[in-house]
Amino acid sequence: MIRKVLIANRGEIAIRIIRACREMGILTVAVYSEADREALHTKLADEAVCIGPAAAKDSYLNMEQIISATMITGADAIHPGFGFLSENSRFAKLCETCHITFIGPDSDSIARLGNKAMARQTMIDAGVPVIEGCEKPLTDAKEALEIAKEIGFPVIVKAVSGGGGKGMRVACTEEEFEQAFLVAQKESLQAFSDENMYLEHFVENPRHIEFQILADHYGNVVHLGERDCSVQRNHQKVIEESPSAAVDEELREKMGKAAVLAAKAAGYKNAGTIEFLLDKEKNFYFMEMNTRIQVEHPVTEWVTGIDLIKAQIRIADGEKLKWKQEDIRISGHAIECRINAENPSENFRPCPGKIQDMYLPGGKGVRIDSAIYSGCEVSPYYDSMIAKLIVFAASRKEAIEKMHRALGEVIIEGIQTNIDFLYEIMERPDYQKGNFTIEYLEKVLEEMGENKQ
Ligand code: MV4
């Protein structure tokens, strides 16, 4: 039985996990860096252990320190949150070796799905649709060019160890290919120490649709519907919603079945997300599987009524899933906006600093997940996301109206944020109609730039 959980993370997700544990009667241990002595997660947990200097590599990424903190406090499980060590198979393995319950999938699943070429092959074997391409790892640009010609241009070069957009380049023609391959490969070598690349045909103007799944240790898998994460910039999601305006009941059932098949083929356990691209003709293709709880999980929680963090803990503790697929009902509409400490008029440059004063919105159908408080410091060392504003209403239209209202109430003084930018998007007819793909924000920003000149 899990009695005490160490949270190997910071910020709003650490708070989210502390809240779930407290409601379940589970004790919590926070770990914090020297920069986070006054952070909310440090104050709110039952115990807190300092694990090192501000730089993430010395603290939140320091496996030995985190395992030591777990041992010293007698915690029996670690929740990794997202980012940091959440998708590090060596860390999950270390937990397994030390008989600490890692609240997530086993280290083998993380390793297998982290290798994007292997993940692709697993999906092909299972009959999950993938984009035409070549999962054979390639290191030589000349050899890759021959395969690219067979696939047909445009082609996208992806790092086998990549994900989330790192180590990726598009080549529109044969002439561009070698350069694109070498740049992507160099990036991959630097970021992941891996020169292995793979190729896919490049799908133009798709939507990013991802499915949440839950899988227990006894082979039961359910999907909790989709999230539309197309509104993003530089591979950073900005607005997410569930359900997607582009997915009807029939498509949801088809994609959901594929997502469950994907999880089963990977022998997956715990909460996971299957990313798909959805093209204009409503063809969908497997991209990658994320083996962590995601930032945008609250929109799924709201349309399904399921607490995903509690579900993760129960699964890790060996409980059977409480739901069969037919028990899962999607109702209403939820939208999440990521509030970042950044300046939109300076190309979204991060803007850390002290929050002098603040007021966050409330009312029916409004949820804030955040770790900020009046007088707190937003550190330059970590991610600039300072709050998530999530709304729920019966329809998409009402959810947008509610988000617009709630964004209008936010007061954050002392630092720059993207709140006004988000507020403007809620007012756009194209957004309101659900008319967007992954290129949407780029076009919006171009338009906004033109209007200023
Ligand atoms: C693609 C693609 C088009 N065609 N693959 C970006 C992150 C990673 N999950 C996969 N990504 C993409 N893969 C093919 N064959 C376009 C993207 C992509 C993207 C995907 C989802 C959300 C935002 C994106 C932004 C740029 C590119």
Side-chain angles (χ1 to χ4, degrees):
M1 259 280 275
I2 295 178
R3 286 180 36 258
K4 195 190 269 196
V5 170
L6 180 135
I7 299 144
N9 216 300
R10 65 181 304 285
E12 61 87 14
I13 193 62
I15 303 300
R16 171 72 187 86
I17 298 162
I18 291 170
R19 286 173 172 159
C21 288
R22 192 146 292 154
E23 289 174 15
M24 293 172 85
I26 296 170
L27 295 168
T28 55
V29 181
V31 292
Y32 63 96
S33 70
E34 285 167 15
D36 277 342
R37 281 191 189 285
E38 302 298 322
L40 195 61
H41 76 286
T42 308
K43 297 176 194 279
L44 226 49
D46 294 302
E47 293 170 72
V49 182
C50 184
I51 52 166
K57 68 167 181 15
D58 300 320
S59 48
Y60 298 107
L61 289 171
N62 188 329
M63 301 190 208
E64 291 72 24
Q65 283 287 74
I66 291 167
I67 297 287
S68 300
T70 310
M71 302 288 192
I72 288 165
T73 56
D76 27 44
I78 294 180
H79 197 305
F82 46 67
F84 297 123
L85 296 169
S86 61
E87 295 186 280
N88 186 313
S89 62
R90 281 184 301 122
F91 181 64
K93 182 84 194 167
L94 195 55
C95 291
E96 288 160 15
T97 305
C98 299
H99 303 287
I100 298 163
T101 302
F102 178 82
I103 302 174
D106 57 52
S107 58
D108 289 340
S109 304
I110 299 176
R112 206 152 355 99
L113 292 162
N115 180 310
K116 303 306 167 189
M118 263 163 76
R120 210 181 112 91
Q121 187 60 56
T122 305
M123 297 312 149
I124 294 168
D125 295 343
V128 176
V130 300
I131 295 162
E132 196 184 332
C134 175
E135 49 288 340
K136 183 183 150 215
L138 301 161
T139 55
D140 181 70
K142 294 264 176 340
E143 187 192 345
L145 174 61
E146 294 314 307
I147 294 167
K149 284 189 209 162
E150 282 169 37
I151 293 169
F153 289 92
V155 159
I156 183 163
V157 182
K158 295 184 177 183
V160 166
S161 294
K166 269 183 248 153
M168 244 178 55
R169 279 293 178 287
V170 179
C172 291
T173 63
E174 238 177 275
E175 290 68 42
E176 275 175 33
F177 183 80
E178 189 167 334
Q179 174 75 1
F181 186 92
L182 293 173
V183 170
Q185 192 177 35
K186 197 169 168 193
E187 220 174 273
S188 174
L189 204 52
Q190 262 169 19
F192 318 111
S193 310
D194 183 358
E195 57 175 3
N196 288 297
M197 311 301 287
Y198 70 106
L199 305 180
E200 277 177 359
H201 180 72
F202 179 65
V203 179
E204 280 171 90
N205 249 321
R207 292 174 87 112
H208 171 128
I209 307 289
E210 57 183 35
F211 272 71
Q212 178 72 53
I213 63 98
L214 286 176
D216 67 16
H217 293 196
Y218 313 98
N220 305 300
V221 185
V222 294
H223 77 79
L224 306 188
E226 78 282 3
R227 296 185 286 260
D228 193 323
C229 307
S230 303
V231 181
Q232 56 86 39
R233 190 185 151 268
N234 291 343
H235 301 292
Q236 291 295 317
K237 293 165 188 166
V238 178
I239 304 168
E240 305 101 337
E241 61 183 301
S242 186
S244 166
V247 177
D248 59 21
E249 193 42 58
E250 190 189 337
L251 183 57
R252 179 168 306 114
E253 203 172 307
K254 255 182 26 187
M255 294 180 79
K257 279 202 172 123
V260 168
L261 200 59
K264 284 187 172 165
Y268 194 83
K269 296 171 193 75
N270 216 285
T273 299
I274 293 93
E275 281 186 15
F276 295 105
L277 289 185
L278 180 67
D279 73 13
K280 285 179 277 292
E281 287 80 43
K282 307 260 161 169
N283 301 304
F284 63 91
Y285 308 95
F286 171 83
M287 283 284 100
E288 47 194 76
M289 181 161 180
N290 301 323
T291 60
R292 59 174 189 276
I293 191 74
Q294 291 192 241
V295 174
E296 58 272 27
H297 76 275
V299 295
T300 298
E301 294 190 315
W302 225 333
V303 297
T304 60
I306 293 174
D307 185 312
L308 285 168
I309 305 290
K310 288 183 183 174
Q312 281 194 294
I313 296 169
R314 293 199 174 106
I315 290 168
D317 216 2
E319 278 186 37
K320 255 186 74 185
L321 281 188
K322 300 196 267 201
W323 313 276
K324 299 261 169 281
Q325 191 60 53
E326 60 266 27
D327 300 326
I328 309 293
R329 285 271 170 278
I330 311 290
S331 73
H333 200 97
I335 304 177
E336 172 178 282
C337 280
R338 297 190 188 192
I339 298 174
N340 299 328
E342 64 188 14
N343 186 347
S345 56
E346 284 182 61
N347 199 28
F348 297 87
R349 178 179 65 82
C351 291
K354 191 187 177 95
I355 294 182
Q356 299 295 352
D357 202 5
M358 59 172 243
Y359 174 80
L360 296 176
K364 181 169 159 48
V366 175
R367 166 176 170 181
I368 300 269
D369 277 22
S370 178
I372 59 172
Y373 57 88
S374 197
C376 81
E377 284 285 342
V378 177
S379 169
Y381 285 95
Y382 314 109
D383 196 273
S384 63
M385 186 178 74
I386 54 169
K388 305 188 304 206
L389 170 54
I390 308 111
V391 300
F392 177 81
S395 66
R396 185 168 188 274
K397 182 171 181 289
E398 289 167 287
I400 294 170
E401 287 161 0
K402 194 180 286 288
M403 181 62 84
H404 188 248
R405 181 275 285 177
L407 284 165
E409 286 180 23
V410 179
I411 299 170
I412 297 178
E413 278 168 9
I415 58 169
Q416 302 275 345
T417 74
N418 62 337
I419 288 161
D420 295 347
F421 176 71
L422 294 165
Y423 188 86
E424 279 182 54
I425 292 175
M426 292 300 131
E427 295 180 340
R428 294 183 63 93
D430 42 17
Y431 179 78
Q432 290 170 1
K433 284 183 207 128
N435 252 336
F436 48 76
T437 69
I438 60 173
E439 273 108 81
Y440 179 67
L441 272 195
E442 223 172 331
K443 285 181 191 139
V444 168
L445 285 163
E446 244 172 67
E447 238 181 78
M448 286 180 175
E450 279 162 21
N451 291 344
K452 275 193 195 123
Q453 278 161 26

